[in-house]
Amino acid sequence: MEKPMNAPSQSLAHVKELEDRYVMSTFARNNVEFVQGSGMKLTDSTGKTYLDFLAGIAVCSLGHNHPVLTKTLQEQAGNLLHVSNYFYVEHRAEVAELINKLANERADAAERADESASGEEIAWKTFFANSGAEANECAMKLARLRQKRAGKSANTIVCLRGSFHGRTLETVAATMQDRLQNDFQPLPGGFLPCTPNNEDELERIFAEHGKDICAVMLEPIQGESGVHPMTKSFMQAVRRLTLENDALMICDEVQTGVFRCGAPFAFQLFDVVPDIFTMAKGIAGGVPMGACAARAEIADVYRPGDHGTTFGGSPLACAAAHAVLSELDEGGYREKIKEVGAHLSDALSALDHVIEVRGKGLMIGCDLAEGMPDAHDIVAAMLDEGFVLNATGPRTLRLLPPLICEKSHADTFVKALGRVLEKVSQS
């Protein structure tokens, strides 16, 4: 097999040896080194090609080596990479303006269950960071600071069991999964768990702790725990109870946002408008970036010095984000993502050995039948076949393809998965 033109000078075996010696073992890596990408395809160091249904974990929104993003990065790298947030930064204001525009999409008076039902657009202000965890930290700090600046003591944040909000100690504390928390105790306090889609439990929590609650933070669709959507009724109950108790609704859109589910942000699919929402992953197409957007009257609680970042909102990241968001906004992706996602979900549901398919748009979880091999073994078998995806547990496959995915790509993937599932079921 012919190697790609920019194949690495070192063998994969040598790279693995160096990583084992010098890189912290925080990931169990597959035995592959990717060196090139184009559209939906990846090429490894041996020249083998793969169809990408993971997109760097929902990061590469426009696929690989998209001409718009590549040209933008080349031009910006030739001008300026970093100056710090002590100065105005080219593209940053335009990205914030675009986030404001996209956040107001479909948020009309008929769909609102809050004080913004006048029909006027909401003014959103954005803080730019480097990751989803940092964006969520910004949101939680803002929710607590709002209460303190108002002379109140409420500082408890309600989070959902099975959630995932990041890897810092604070966001791990907000991530209600024992397996991710136990080894890092003691964790920061001020968090209460609630079962997803359990409105009765949510009502009881507010009845008992309402005066202490400053926010409810949730993912509209839980990603890391297996692609589990919230119900519209539950989302609207969160909105109602937070308004009644002077608390904030925070939507973690790190994985669900940036058109991943068909709308600019997933909360728009549930007929609610939060007070704060966070984003990262797909916002800059592969350049590290996170962002926290809040209603202007809430964002203005922050004063200079209350929060900050060295690298967040750099010229390079903002140029990339502007290119990605503009392309997604203007390129006719909304309906296409919904159509391709529905096509892929229907095809997966028709496979033998698949018992449930969940999600919206191009964020899909696929549960395998009892008796099938571990989902991680299926992922490995699909990698051998030239397809990239991942598993979130022993029964669940997760698909997060680039948003440029076509029905033909979906058909090719599902056909291969069907072959693999049939083969392993007989072994």
Side-chain angles (χ1 to χ4, degrees):
M1 186 177 294
E2 185 177 347
K3 289 190 175 184
M5 291 180 61
N6 65 337
S9 57
Q10 297 178 335
S11 68
L12 178 57
H14 185 57
V15 170
K16 290 169 61 179
E17 179 184 347
L18 291 177
E19 288 221 4
D20 288 345
R21 187 179 304 170
Y22 299 116
V23 179
M24 290 189 184
S25 301
T26 56
F27 284 87
R29 291 179 173 84
N30 293 289
N31 194 33
V32 174
E33 181 187 22
F34 293 118
V35 296
Q36 284 182 341
S38 178
M40 285 284 294
K41 291 185 178 180
L42 287 166
T43 304
D44 71 14
S45 55
T46 72
K48 179 179 177 178
T49 60
Y50 304 74
L51 204 56
D52 186 5
F53 273 73
L54 186 59
I57 318 180
V59 168
C60 303
S61 301
L62 300 178
H64 304 282
N65 199 22
H66 191 282
V68 171
L69 180 57
T70 298
K71 181 181 178 182
T72 296
L73 292 174
Q74 290 172 338
E75 291 177 351
Q76 187 61 48
N79 291 331
L80 189 65
L81 292 179
H82 180 78
V83 292
S84 93
N85 286 298
Y86 290 141
F87 306 95
Y88 290 96
V89 170
E90 189 179 15
H91 309 298
R92 186 170 58 202
E94 289 86 349
V95 176
E97 181 183 33
L98 189 48
I99 290 171
N100 178 85
K101 169 184 175 287
L102 294 173
N104 277 297
E105 190 168 302
R106 291 189 57 187
D108 57 45
E111 293 174 335
R112 294 178 187 168
D114 60 17
E115 74 279 2
S116 301
S118 62
E120 296 180 4
E121 282 197 346
I122 300 168
W124 299 91
K125 290 188 175 182
T126 298
F127 172 84
F128 292 102
N130 306 283
S131 67
E134 289 181 64
N136 286 334
E137 291 267 3
C138 176
M140 291 186 288
K141 286 176 67 175
L142 183 56
R144 287 176 171 165
L145 185 62
R146 172 179 173 267
Q147 293 286 340
K148 186 158 288 189
R149 289 271 156 82
K152 301 177 181 179
S153 60
N155 59 17
T156 298
I157 300 174
V158 178
C159 298
L160 303 187
R161 294 182 177 89
S163 64
F164 184 85
H165 298 295
R167 297 284 189 176
T168 65
L169 282 177
E170 187 83 0
T171 52
V172 167
T175 293
M176 296 298 169
Q177 298 191 55
D178 290 342
R179 68 179 182 84
L180 297 175
Q181 292 184 336
N182 289 342
D183 288 343
F184 300 101
Q185 301 286 356
L187 292 169
F191 297 92
L192 279 175
C194 180
T195 304
N197 295 327
N198 191 325
E199 295 172 42
D200 291 339
E201 183 179 0
L202 185 67
E203 293 273 5
R204 289 195 299 270
I205 289 171
F206 270 93
E208 184 175 349
H209 302 283
K211 63 180 177 55
D212 299 319
I213 295 172
C214 68
V216 175
M217 183 164 69
L218 54 77
E219 301 155 276
I221 303 173
Q222 291 185 337
E224 193 270 348
S225 63
V227 190
H228 295 285
M230 298 302 105
T231 64
K232 182 180 290 188
S233 177
F234 183 77
M235 291 282 283
Q236 293 181 346
V238 172
R239 178 69 286 187
R240 173 178 56 81
L241 286 165
T242 50
L243 287 169
E244 290 174 357
N245 290 271
D246 190 33
L248 302 183
M249 181 179 186
I250 303 171
C251 283
D252 177 343
E253 296 265 6
V254 170
Q255 190 169 141
T256 58
V258 194
F259 293 84
R260 170 60 50 185
C261 298
F265 303 102
F267 70 77
Q268 293 163 324
L269 304 174
F270 294 86
D271 296 348
V272 297
V273 183
D275 302 293
I276 303 174
F277 64 96
T278 59
M279 66 213 93
K281 289 191 181 290
I283 190 172
V287 177
M289 189 182 212
C292 173
R295 296 172 186 256
E297 65 274 16
I298 295 167
D300 288 343
V301 169
Y302 270 146
R303 300 168 186 165
D306 285 335
H307 197 54
T309 173
T310 296
F311 293 106
S314 71
L316 186 70
C318 287
H322 191 264
V324 170
L325 290 176
S326 296
E327 173 66 19
L328 291 173
D329 181 33
E330 300 166 5
Y333 284 85
R334 291 165 179 79
E335 292 306 315
K336 178 182 174 183
I337 289 167
K338 294 175 186 176
E339 290 174 5
V340 175
H343 179 79
L344 177 56
S345 294
D346 289 345
L348 290 167
S349 297
L351 289 178
D352 291 338
H353 315 295
V354 170
I355 59 173
E356 184 179 7
V357 177
R358 299 178 300 274
K360 291 181 183 291
L362 290 172
M363 179 178 181
I364 297 171
C366 178
D367 281 355
L368 304 178
E370 290 292 334
M372 291 293 288
D374 190 291
H376 296 87
D377 295 332
I378 305 300
V379 168
M382 287 293 286
L383 191 64
D384 288 341
E385 294 290 323
F387 298 87
V388 180
L389 68 157
N390 88 319
T392 62
R395 299 264 69 81
T396 305
L397 302 173
R398 177 173 55 168
L399 282 60
L400 299 163
L403 304 182
I404 61 170
C405 184
E406 302 281 355
K407 289 181 181 179
S408 58
H409 299 129
D411 291 339
T412 301
F413 174 88
V414 173
K415 185 177 181 180
L417 180 60
R419 291 196 307 268
V420 166
L421 292 178
E422 189 59 33
K423 180 179 179 180
V424 300
S425 71
Q426 299 173 357
S427 61

PDB file of all heavy atoms in Angstrom, residues 44-75:
ATOM      1  N   ASP A  44      -4.240   6.907   7.182  1.00  0.00           N
ATOM      2  CA  ASP A  44      -3.266   6.661   8.244  1.00  0.00           C
ATOM      3  C   ASP A  44      -1.846   6.614   7.686  1.00  0.00           C
ATOM      4  O   ASP A  44      -1.616   6.793   6.483  1.00  0.00           O
ATOM      5  CB  ASP A  44      -3.624   5.404   9.042  1.00  0.00           C
ATOM      6  CG  ASP A  44      -3.410   4.098   8.277  1.00  0.00           C
ATOM      7  OD1 ASP A  44      -2.745   4.099   7.221  1.00  0.00           O
ATOM      8  OD2 ASP A  44      -3.915   3.061   8.748  1.00  0.00           O
ATOM      9  N   SER A  45      -0.883   6.360   8.563  1.00  0.00           N
ATOM     10  CA  SER A  45       0.522   6.429   8.182  1.00  0.00           C
ATOM     11  C   SER A  45       0.947   5.320   7.235  1.00  0.00           C
ATOM     12  O   SER A  45       2.036   5.381   6.656  1.00  0.00           O
ATOM     13  CB  SER A  45       1.394   6.391   9.440  1.00  0.00           C
ATOM     14  OG  SER A  45       1.096   5.250  10.233  1.00  0.00           O
ATOM     15  N   THR A  46       0.102   4.301   7.056  1.00  0.00           N
ATOM     16  CA  THR A  46       0.411   3.238   6.088  1.00  0.00           C
ATOM     17  C   THR A  46      -0.240   3.478   4.743  1.00  0.00           C
ATOM     18  O   THR A  46      -0.021   2.719   3.799  1.00  0.00           O
ATOM     19  CB  THR A  46      -0.064   1.865   6.618  1.00  0.00           C
ATOM     20  OG1 THR A  46      -1.500   1.803   6.571  1.00  0.00           O
ATOM     21  CG2 THR A  46       0.420   1.622   8.038  1.00  0.00           C
ATOM     22  N   GLY A  47      -1.086   4.501   4.649  1.00  0.00           N
ATOM     23  CA  GLY A  47      -1.794   4.790   3.411  1.00  0.00           C
ATOM     24  C   GLY A  47      -3.208   4.254   3.377  1.00  0.00           C
ATOM     25  O   GLY A  47      -3.945   4.491   2.417  1.00  0.00           O
ATOM     26  N   LYS A  48      -3.639   3.542   4.410  1.00  0.00           N
ATOM     27  CA  LYS A  48      -5.008   3.024   4.466  1.00  0.00           C
ATOM     28  C   LYS A  48      -5.983   4.162   4.704  1.00  0.00           C
ATOM     29  O   LYS A  48      -5.723   5.067   5.502  1.00  0.00           O
ATOM     30  CB  LYS A  48      -5.123   1.984   5.589  1.00  0.00           C
ATOM     31  CG  LYS A  48      -6.515   1.391   5.741  1.00  0.00           C
ATOM     32  CD  LYS A  48      -6.557   0.350   6.871  1.00  0.00           C
ATOM     33  CE  LYS A  48      -7.955  -0.197   7.070  1.00  0.00           C
ATOM     34  NZ  LYS A  48      -8.007  -1.239   8.134  1.00  0.00           N
ATOM     35  N   THR A  49      -7.137   4.127   4.023  1.00  0.00           N
ATOM     36  CA  THR A  49      -8.140   5.178   4.167  1.00  0.00           C
ATOM     37  C   THR A  49      -9.335   4.677   4.984  1.00  0.00           C
ATOM     38  O   THR A  49      -9.647   3.482   5.003  1.00  0.00           O
ATOM     39  CB  THR A  49      -8.636   5.673   2.797  1.00  0.00           C
ATOM     40  OG1 THR A  49      -9.217   4.583   2.079  1.00  0.00           O
ATOM     41  CG2 THR A  49      -7.492   6.291   2.012  1.00  0.00           C
ATOM     42  N   TYR A  50      -9.995   5.614   5.636  1.00  0.00           N
ATOM     43  CA  TYR A  50     -11.114   5.327   6.519  1.00  0.00           C
ATOM     44  C   TYR A  50     -12.228   6.334   6.271  1.00  0.00           C
ATOM     45  O   TYR A  50     -11.969   7.488   5.906  1.00  0.00           O
ATOM     46  CB  TYR A  50     -10.706   5.453   7.992  1.00  0.00           C
ATOM     47  CG  TYR A  50      -9.542   4.594   8.421  1.00  0.00           C
ATOM     48  CD1 TYR A  50      -8.235   4.921   8.031  1.00  0.00           C
ATOM     49  CD2 TYR A  50      -9.732   3.478   9.224  1.00  0.00           C
ATOM     50  CE1 TYR A  50      -7.154   4.138   8.438  1.00  0.00           C
ATOM     51  CE2 TYR A  50      -8.661   2.696   9.639  1.00  0.00           C
ATOM     52  CZ  TYR A  50      -7.378   3.036   9.241  1.00  0.00           C
ATOM     53  OH  TYR A  50      -6.314   2.265   9.647  1.00  0.00           O
ATOM     54  N   LEU A  51     -13.452   5.925   6.506  1.00  0.00           N
ATOM     55  CA  LEU A  51     -14.593   6.833   6.502  1.00  0.00           C
ATOM     56  C   LEU A  51     -14.844   7.257   7.947  1.00  0.00           C
ATOM     57  O   LEU A  51     -15.012   6.408   8.836  1.00  0.00           O
ATOM     58  CB  LEU A  51     -15.816   6.139   5.917  1.00  0.00           C
ATOM     59  CG  LEU A  51     -16.914   7.025   5.315  1.00  0.00           C
ATOM     60  CD1 LEU A  51     -16.360   7.936   4.235  1.00  0.00           C
ATOM     61  CD2 LEU A  51     -18.038   6.168   4.766  1.00  0.00           C
ATOM     62  N   ASP A  52     -14.866   8.554   8.181  1.00  0.00           N
ATOM     63  CA  ASP A  52     -14.874   9.098   9.542  1.00  0.00           C
ATOM     64  C   ASP A  52     -16.299   9.335  10.033  1.00  0.00           C
ATOM     65  O   ASP A  52     -17.009  10.208   9.519  1.00  0.00           O
ATOM     66  CB  ASP A  52     -14.086  10.406   9.561  1.00  0.00           C
ATOM     67  CG  ASP A  52     -13.920  10.969  10.965  1.00  0.00           C
ATOM     68  OD1 ASP A  52     -14.331  10.301  11.927  1.00  0.00           O
ATOM     69  OD2 ASP A  52     -13.362  12.083  11.078  1.00  0.00           O
ATOM     70  N   PHE A  53     -16.716   8.583  11.041  1.00  0.00           N
ATOM     71  CA  PHE A  53     -18.017   8.783  11.669  1.00  0.00           C
ATOM     72  C   PHE A  53     -17.865   9.199  13.130  1.00  0.00           C
ATOM     73  O   PHE A  53     -18.745   8.966  13.947  1.00  0.00           O
ATOM     74  CB  PHE A  53     -18.885   7.534  11.536  1.00  0.00           C
ATOM     75  CG  PHE A  53     -19.667   7.501  10.251  1.00  0.00           C
ATOM     76  CD1 PHE A  53     -19.027   7.240   9.048  1.00  0.00           C
ATOM     77  CD2 PHE A  53     -21.018   7.787  10.235  1.00  0.00           C
ATOM     78  CE1 PHE A  53     -19.737   7.236   7.854  1.00  0.00           C
ATOM     79  CE2 PHE A  53     -21.735   7.797   9.047  1.00  0.00           C
ATOM     80  CZ  PHE A  53     -21.095   7.518   7.856  1.00  0.00           C
ATOM     81  N   LEU A  54     -16.744   9.858  13.430  1.00  0.00           N
ATOM     82  CA  LEU A  54     -16.496  10.374  14.778  1.00  0.00           C
ATOM     83  C   LEU A  54     -16.150  11.856  14.776  1.00  0.00           C
ATOM     84  O   LEU A  54     -16.455  12.573  15.728  1.00  0.00           O
ATOM     85  CB  LEU A  54     -15.377   9.575  15.443  1.00  0.00           C
ATOM     86  CG  LEU A  54     -15.073   9.879  16.901  1.00  0.00           C
ATOM     87  CD1 LEU A  54     -16.303   9.662  17.777  1.00  0.00           C
ATOM     88  CD2 LEU A  54     -13.908   9.027  17.393  1.00  0.00           C
ATOM     89  N   ALA A  55     -15.521  12.328  13.685  1.00  0.00           N
ATOM     90  CA  ALA A  55     -15.190  13.751  13.517  1.00  0.00           C
ATOM     91  C   ALA A  55     -14.408  14.315  14.689  1.00  0.00           C
ATOM     92  O   ALA A  55     -14.640  15.432  15.133  1.00  0.00           O
ATOM     93  CB  ALA A  55     -16.465  14.576  13.294  1.00  0.00           C
ATOM     94  N   GLY A  56     -13.453  13.515  15.193  1.00  0.00           N
ATOM     95  CA  GLY A  56     -12.661  14.010  16.316  1.00  0.00           C
ATOM     96  C   GLY A  56     -13.490  14.230  17.554  1.00  0.00           C
ATOM     97  O   GLY A  56     -13.199  15.118  18.366  1.00  0.00           O
ATOM     98  N   ILE A  57     -14.536  13.433  17.744  1.00  0.00           N
ATOM     99  CA  ILE A  57     -15.557  13.557  18.801  1.00  0.00           C
ATOM    100  C   ILE A  57     -16.352  14.847  18.585  1.00  0.00           C
ATOM    101  O   ILE A  57     -16.353  15.766  19.416  1.00  0.00           O
ATOM    102  CB  ILE A  57     -14.981  13.490  20.225  1.00  0.00           C
ATOM    103  CG1 ILE A  57     -13.908  12.397  20.353  1.00  0.00           C
ATOM    104  CG2 ILE A  57     -16.118  13.210  21.230  1.00  0.00           C
ATOM    105  CD1 ILE A  57     -13.290  12.287  21.740  1.00  0.00           C
ATOM    106  N   ALA A  58     -17.016  14.929  17.457  1.00  0.00           N
ATOM    107  CA  ALA A  58     -17.922  16.033  17.099  1.00  0.00           C
ATOM    108  C   ALA A  58     -17.205  17.361  16.918  1.00  0.00           C
ATOM    109  O   ALA A  58     -17.815  18.419  17.049  1.00  0.00           O
ATOM    110  CB  ALA A  58     -19.041  16.177  18.143  1.00  0.00           C
ATOM    111  N   VAL A  59     -15.933  17.320  16.577  1.00  0.00           N
ATOM    112  CA  VAL A  59     -15.137  18.541  16.448  1.00  0.00           C
ATOM    113  C   VAL A  59     -15.043  19.034  15.004  1.00  0.00           C
ATOM    114  O   VAL A  59     -15.230  20.225  14.728  1.00  0.00           O
ATOM    115  CB  VAL A  59     -13.726  18.324  17.037  1.00  0.00           C
ATOM    116  CG1 VAL A  59     -12.784  19.470  16.644  1.00  0.00           C
ATOM    117  CG2 VAL A  59     -13.796  18.191  18.552  1.00  0.00           C
ATOM    118  N   CYS A  60     -14.754  18.129  14.082  1.00  0.00           N
ATOM    119  CA  CYS A  60     -14.473  18.529  12.699  1.00  0.00           C
ATOM    120  C   CYS A  60     -15.788  18.721  11.942  1.00  0.00           C
ATOM    121  O   CYS A  60     -16.177  17.900  11.096  1.00  0.00           O
ATOM    122  CB  CYS A  60     -13.595  17.489  12.020  1.00  0.00           C
ATOM    123  SG  CYS A  60     -12.034  17.208  12.892  1.00  0.00           S
ATOM    124  N   SER A  61     -16.462  19.803  12.230  1.00  0.00           N
ATOM    125  CA  SER A  61     -17.795  20.061  11.685  1.00  0.00           C
ATOM    126  C   SER A  61     -17.825  20.005  10.165  1.00  0.00           C
ATOM    127  O   SER A  61     -18.768  19.480   9.573  1.00  0.00           O
ATOM    128  CB  SER A  61     -18.295  21.439  12.141  1.00  0.00           C
ATOM    129  OG  SER A  61     -18.342  21.524  13.533  1.00  0.00           O
ATOM    130  N   LEU A  62     -16.818  20.564   9.536  1.00  0.00           N
ATOM    131  CA  LEU A  62     -16.767  20.631   8.078  1.00  0.00           C
ATOM    132  C   LEU A  62     -15.916  19.515   7.490  1.00  0.00           C
ATOM    133  O   LEU A  62     -15.493  19.598   6.330  1.00  0.00           O
ATOM    134  CB  LEU A  62     -16.233  21.990   7.631  1.00  0.00           C
ATOM    135  CG  LEU A  62     -17.048  23.208   8.074  1.00  0.00           C
ATOM    136  CD1 LEU A  62     -16.381  24.507   7.605  1.00  0.00           C
ATOM    137  CD2 LEU A  62     -18.475  23.123   7.547  1.00  0.00           C
ATOM    138  N   GLY A  63     -15.679  18.472   8.254  1.00  0.00           N
ATOM    139  CA  GLY A  63     -14.826  17.401   7.793  1.00  0.00           C
ATOM    140  C   GLY A  63     -13.367  17.812   7.832  1.00  0.00           C
ATOM    141  O   GLY A  63     -12.971  18.711   8.579  1.00  0.00           O
ATOM    142  N   HIS A  64     -12.572  17.174   7.006  1.00  0.00           N
ATOM    143  CA  HIS A  64     -11.122  17.375   7.036  1.00  0.00           C
ATOM    144  C   HIS A  64     -10.664  18.160   5.813  1.00  0.00           C
ATOM    145  O   HIS A  64     -11.111  17.909   4.699  1.00  0.00           O
ATOM    146  CB  HIS A  64     -10.416  16.025   7.108  1.00  0.00           C
ATOM    147  CG  HIS A  64     -10.866  15.199   8.275  1.00  0.00           C
ATOM    148  ND1 HIS A  64     -10.426  15.423   9.561  1.00  0.00           N
ATOM    149  CD2 HIS A  64     -11.757  14.173   8.350  1.00  0.00           C
ATOM    150  CE1 HIS A  64     -11.004  14.563  10.382  1.00  0.00           C
ATOM    151  NE2 HIS A  64     -11.821  13.798   9.677  1.00  0.00           N
ATOM    152  N   ASN A  65      -9.787  19.121   6.073  1.00  0.00           N
ATOM    153  CA  ASN A  65      -9.179  19.917   5.001  1.00  0.00           C
ATOM    154  C   ASN A  65     -10.236  20.621   4.158  1.00  0.00           C
ATOM    155  O   ASN A  65     -10.117  20.706   2.930  1.00  0.00           O
ATOM    156  CB  ASN A  65      -8.297  19.015   4.120  1.00  0.00           C
ATOM    157  CG  ASN A  65      -7.293  19.800   3.308  1.00  0.00           C
ATOM    158  OD1 ASN A  65      -6.937  20.925   3.639  1.00  0.00           O
ATOM    159  ND2 ASN A  65      -6.834  19.212   2.219  1.00  0.00           N
ATOM    160  N   HIS A  66     -11.259  21.164   4.828  1.00  0.00           N
ATOM    161  CA  HIS A  66     -12.278  21.915   4.091  1.00  0.00           C
ATOM    162  C   HIS A  66     -11.633  23.183   3.518  1.00  0.00           C
ATOM    163  O   HIS A  66     -10.937  23.916   4.234  1.00  0.00           O
ATOM    164  CB  HIS A  66     -13.431  22.284   5.032  1.00  0.00           C
ATOM    165  CG  HIS A  66     -14.634  22.826   4.317  1.00  0.00           C
ATOM    166  ND1 HIS A  66     -14.684  24.128   3.848  1.00  0.00           N
ATOM    167  CD2 HIS A  66     -15.818  22.256   3.985  1.00  0.00           C
ATOM    168  CE1 HIS A  66     -15.859  24.328   3.267  1.00  0.00           C
ATOM    169  NE2 HIS A  66     -16.557  23.212   3.333  1.00  0.00           N
ATOM    170  N   PRO A  67     -11.861  23.489   2.256  1.00  0.00           N
ATOM    171  CA  PRO A  67     -11.142  24.607   1.630  1.00  0.00           C
ATOM    172  C   PRO A  67     -11.391  25.950   2.305  1.00  0.00           C
ATOM    173  O   PRO A  67     -10.471  26.781   2.396  1.00  0.00           O
ATOM    174  CB  PRO A  67     -11.653  24.601   0.183  1.00  0.00           C
ATOM    175  CG  PRO A  67     -12.902  23.768   0.200  1.00  0.00           C
ATOM    176  CD  PRO A  67     -12.727  22.773   1.291  1.00  0.00           C
ATOM    177  N   VAL A  68     -12.605  26.200   2.776  1.00  0.00           N
ATOM    178  CA  VAL A  68     -12.896  27.479   3.434  1.00  0.00           C
ATOM    179  C   VAL A  68     -12.093  27.623   4.708  1.00  0.00           C
ATOM    180  O   VAL A  68     -11.455  28.661   4.961  1.00  0.00           O
ATOM    181  CB  VAL A  68     -14.408  27.600   3.724  1.00  0.00           C
ATOM    182  CG1 VAL A  68     -14.691  28.811   4.610  1.00  0.00           C
ATOM    183  CG2 VAL A  68     -15.193  27.702   2.424  1.00  0.00           C
ATOM    184  N   LEU A  69     -12.104  26.579   5.548  1.00  0.00           N
ATOM    185  CA  LEU A  69     -11.384  26.645   6.815  1.00  0.00           C
ATOM    186  C   LEU A  69      -9.877  26.630   6.608  1.00  0.00           C
ATOM    187  O   LEU A  69      -9.143  27.384   7.260  1.00  0.00           O
ATOM    188  CB  LEU A  69     -11.812  25.486   7.718  1.00  0.00           C
ATOM    189  CG  LEU A  69     -11.139  25.409   9.092  1.00  0.00           C
ATOM    190  CD1 LEU A  69     -11.347  26.691   9.880  1.00  0.00           C
ATOM    191  CD2 LEU A  69     -11.660  24.209   9.869  1.00  0.00           C
ATOM    192  N   THR A  70      -9.403  25.795   5.696  1.00  0.00           N
ATOM    193  CA  THR A  70      -7.965  25.707   5.446  1.00  0.00           C
ATOM    194  C   THR A  70      -7.404  27.041   4.961  1.00  0.00           C
ATOM    195  O   THR A  70      -6.362  27.515   5.450  1.00  0.00           O
ATOM    196  CB  THR A  70      -7.669  24.607   4.410  1.00  0.00           C
ATOM    197  OG1 THR A  70      -8.099  23.345   4.933  1.00  0.00           O
ATOM    198  CG2 THR A  70      -6.188  24.534   4.095  1.00  0.00           C
ATOM    199  N   LYS A  71      -8.099  27.674   4.035  1.00  0.00           N
ATOM    200  CA  LYS A  71      -7.649  28.974   3.535  1.00  0.00           C
ATOM    201  C   LYS A  71      -7.653  30.014   4.640  1.00  0.00           C
ATOM    202  O   LYS A  71      -6.703  30.814   4.769  1.00  0.00           O
ATOM    203  CB  LYS A  71      -8.551  29.430   2.383  1.00  0.00           C
ATOM    204  CG  LYS A  71      -8.144  30.770   1.785  1.00  0.00           C
ATOM    205  CD  LYS A  71      -9.088  31.190   0.661  1.00  0.00           C
ATOM    206  CE  LYS A  71      -8.695  32.547   0.102  1.00  0.00           C
ATOM    207  NZ  LYS A  71      -9.627  33.005  -0.967  1.00  0.00           N
ATOM    208  N   THR A  72      -8.687  30.012   5.472  1.00  0.00           N
ATOM    209  CA  THR A  72      -8.776  30.968   6.575  1.00  0.00           C
ATOM    210  C   THR A  72      -7.607  30.804   7.534  1.00  0.00           C
ATOM    211  O   THR A  72      -6.988  31.797   7.961  1.00  0.00           O
ATOM    212  CB  THR A  72     -10.100  30.782   7.326  1.00  0.00           C
ATOM    213  OG1 THR A  72     -11.177  31.089   6.459  1.00  0.00           O
ATOM    214  CG2 THR A  72     -10.164  31.676   8.560  1.00  0.00           C
ATOM    215  N   LEU A  73      -7.301  29.563   7.903  1.00  0.00           N
ATOM    216  CA  LEU A  73      -6.203  29.315   8.837  1.00  0.00           C
ATOM    217  C   LEU A  73      -4.862  29.714   8.246  1.00  0.00           C
ATOM    218  O   LEU A  73      -4.010  30.291   8.948  1.00  0.00           O
ATOM    219  CB  LEU A  73      -6.194  27.837   9.236  1.00  0.00           C
ATOM    220  CG  LEU A  73      -7.369  27.367  10.088  1.00  0.00           C
ATOM    221  CD1 LEU A  73      -7.321  25.865  10.291  1.00  0.00           C
ATOM    222  CD2 LEU A  73      -7.372  28.081  11.440  1.00  0.00           C
ATOM    223  N   GLN A  74      -4.661  29.418   6.983  1.00  0.00           N
ATOM    224  CA  GLN A  74      -3.401  29.798   6.344  1.00  0.00           C
ATOM    225  C   GLN A  74      -3.222  31.309   6.328  1.00  0.00           C
ATOM    226  O   GLN A  74      -2.137  31.826   6.649  1.00  0.00           O
ATOM    227  CB  GLN A  74      -3.358  29.238   4.919  1.00  0.00           C
ATOM    228  CG  GLN A  74      -3.217  27.724   4.855  1.00  0.00           C
ATOM    229  CD  GLN A  74      -3.380  27.175   3.458  1.00  0.00           C
ATOM    230  OE1 GLN A  74      -3.980  27.821   2.584  1.00  0.00           O
ATOM    231  NE2 GLN A  74      -2.862  25.977   3.215  1.00  0.00           N
ATOM    232  N   GLU A  75      -4.277  32.029   5.986  1.00  0.00           N
ATOM    233  CA  GLU A  75      -4.184  33.488   5.932  1.00  0.00           C
ATOM    234  C   GLU A  75      -3.977  34.086   7.318  1.00  0.00           C
ATOM    235  O   GLU A  75      -3.152  34.991   7.496  1.00  0.00           O
ATOM    236  CB  GLU A  75      -5.456  34.061   5.290  1.00  0.00           C
ATOM    237  CG  GLU A  75      -5.585  33.736   3.805  1.00  0.00           C
ATOM    238  CD  GLU A  75      -6.878  34.258   3.217  1.00  0.00           C
ATOM    239  OE1 GLU A  75      -7.749  34.719   3.987  1.00  0.00           O
ATOM    240  OE2 GLU A  75      -7.021  34.194   1.973  1.00  0.00           O
TER     241      GLU A  75
END
